Amino acid sequence: MELLMSLLIGLMFTAGVYLILSKNILRIIIGTAIVSHGANLTLLTIGGIKNGSAPILLDGLKLFNDPIPQALILTAIVIGFAVTALFLVVAYRAYQEIGTDMVNRTRGNDDDD
């Protein structure tokens, strides 16, 4: 299962970096969201995929799930959502002011390459 998750994480990071390197602001925002989800899956995979019980100390409990990766992922999801929302608002405002969503035009360059 970890091998499948590792391949999925690699695919998500590859797609995210590809989108971040484009010239369209909306693609850059989607790329950062995909990289954020890839980081969440990385934390989940590092935490281990096991069928344990709740982390309550009882006699005879041998296998339990670690709550730290789950708490980190929950925090990362909230932060990733806030950053994506902020990026979308800034991109929308820039589109209203400049009239384009291409990165090379936002710098004041008139080149299309």
Side-chain angles (χ1 to χ4, degrees), residues 39-51:
N40 293 341
L41 283 177
T42 303
L43 284 173
L44 183 68
T45 305
I46 289 173
I49 301 171
K50 49 188 160 187
N51 296 328

Side-chain angles (χ1 to χ4, degrees), residues 10-42:
L11 184 66
M12 289 180 79
F13 275 109
T14 302
V17 169
Y18 175 76
L19 288 173
I20 288 173
L21 293 175
S22 69
K23 294 181 181 181
N24 192 343
I25 292 177
L26 190 59
R27 286 186 181 186
I28 294 170
I29 294 169
I30 293 171
T32 56
I34 290 174
V35 168
S36 173
H37 292 320
N40 293 341
L41 283 177
T42 303

Side-chain angles (χ1 to χ4, degrees), residues 79-99:
I79 292 171
F81 176 72
V83 169
T84 303
L86 177 70
F87 282 167
L88 286 172
V89 168
V90 169
Y92 179 69
R93 183 70 180 144
Y95 180 76
Q96 282 182 335
E97 289 292 322
I98 299 169

Side-chain angles (χ1 to χ4, degrees), residues 58-70:
L58 297 173
D59 292 333
L61 183 66
K62 302 221 189 257
L63 185 64
F64 62 91
N65 292 330
D66 189 13
I68 299 296
Q70 296 172 9

